Amino acid sequence: MSELTLYRQTFPSRLLLGTAAYPSTEILRQAVAAAEPAMITVSLRRAGSAAETDGQGFWALLQEMDVPVLPNTAGCQSVQEAVTTARMAREVFATDWIKLELIGDDDTLQPDVFQLVEAAKILIDEGFKVLPYCTEDLIACRRLLDAGCEALMPWAAPIGSGLGVVHGYALQVLRERLPDVPLIIDAGLGLPSQAAQVMEWGFDGVLLNTAVSRSGDPVAMARAFAQATAAGRAAYLSDPVQPHRHARASTPTVGQPFWHSEEY
């Protein structure tokens, strides 16, 4: 599988993995080892809470796994809150990478694309490598690119829903209209087959959390998603056949020992 390139940095995997809601830090460690992701996402609030159970173990695990960390601004609902969280994350994790989340609706957790563009401009100007969690709206995505983002993370469905791709047409249009922009599907995937599907459409990667962490066997599911992501990318690069409404025989007819007769 070809390498993923984001902000001129290459990664050997096209799968990004979240670190929240695993049954234990040990299962998280095994899931990350099974998936071998390009990056793991971490919420500053999750990692920074000393009162949280096993918080020290989580910190130690991050260092042990030696996988690039992608901090996020999960839960932020204003530009100032998101920018402040990103700045704090840069200090805590010593990285300029940030997954920018700015939520506009508490029920669907849909991104507020208007505030998202404003926050992205500020962070880009401060030297952050911003990966914005956005919708599949083409115009909003163009505004984020105008703000300086070099990659986008459109959702497939609401966070944690496991619905898979809800607006497939819009996502495929987005891929077609932004052919040179790295696009990573973030949120809503529930099955490895759904990851393979978006990769077959030409998306550059997928980011998962709930589908793995809340499954019955997170380690096996992490491995399955990694395999599906790789398979989908390989299929895309293999120039798959286009669907047709009518059958097309694939068996050669030369030398067939039978023939049709009008007499019975």
Side-chain angles (χ1 to χ4, degrees), residues 17-22 28 32 40-43 46 58 62 65 209:
L17 197 63
T19 58
Y22 284 81
L28 168 59
V32 170
I40 52 175
T41 64
V42 179
S43 169
R46 158 93 170 95
F58 182 73
L62 288 180
M65 290 188 295
N209 193 144

Side-chain angles (χ1 to χ4, degrees), residues 40-225:
I40 52 175
T41 64
V42 179
S43 169
L44 180 64
R45 300 178 186 190
R46 158 93 170 95
S49 175
E52 194 171 327
T53 302
D54 202 22
Q56 293 300 319
F58 182 73
W59 267 108
L61 181 61
L62 288 180
Q63 298 173 331
E64 174 193 332
M65 290 188 295
D66 193 29
V67 177
V69 171
L70 176 63
N72 64 38
T73 60
C76 292
Q77 296 184 323
S78 71
V79 171
Q80 187 56 52
E81 187 180 10
V83 169
T84 299
T85 301
R87 289 168 176 165
M88 293 173 62
R90 178 161 59 182
E91 296 300 319
V92 171
F93 298 109
T95 180
D96 291 329
W97 290 93
I98 192 73
K99 177 190 170 186
L100 181 60
E101 294 186 35
L102 223 164
I103 302 303
D105 182 77
D106 290 334
D107 182 41
T108 63
L109 300 181
Q110 181 167 332
D112 183 331
V113 294
F114 301 100
Q115 292 197 92
L116 193 63
V117 171
E118 184 180 348
K121 287 180 179 178
I122 295 171
L123 294 174
I124 290 289
D125 288 343
E126 294 185 7
F128 281 90
K129 298 180 179 72
V130 178
L131 298 177
Y133 164 60
C134 56
T135 66
E136 72 282 1
D137 184 272
L138 174 62
I139 307 308
C141 287
R142 283 176 170 167
R143 296 295 177 267
L144 287 166
L145 296 175
D146 291 341
C149 296
E150 296 184 17
L152 305 173
M153 304 183 87
W155 69 348
I159 294 174
S161 66
L163 290 171
V165 177
V166 174
H167 300 297
Y169 171 77
L171 280 176
Q172 291 180 77
V173 168
L174 183 66
R175 177 69 285 176
E176 292 170 2
R177 297 304 300 274
L178 303 176
D180 300 321
V181 177
L183 299 176
I184 298 173
I185 295 297
D186 178 16
L189 298 181
L191 293 170
S193 58
Q194 296 161 359
Q197 179 184 54
V198 296
M199 295 300 293
E200 289 168 5
W201 288 347
F203 282 87
D204 297 277
V206 297
L207 192 157
L208 310 158
N209 193 144
T210 302
V212 173
S213 66
R214 295 192 182 278
S215 68
D217 188 340
V219 178
M221 188 63 78
R223 183 178 297 107
F225 266 106

Side-chain angles (χ1 to χ4, degrees), residues 244-250:
H244 299 279
R245 296 186 60 180
H246 303 289
R248 291 186 174 185
S250 59

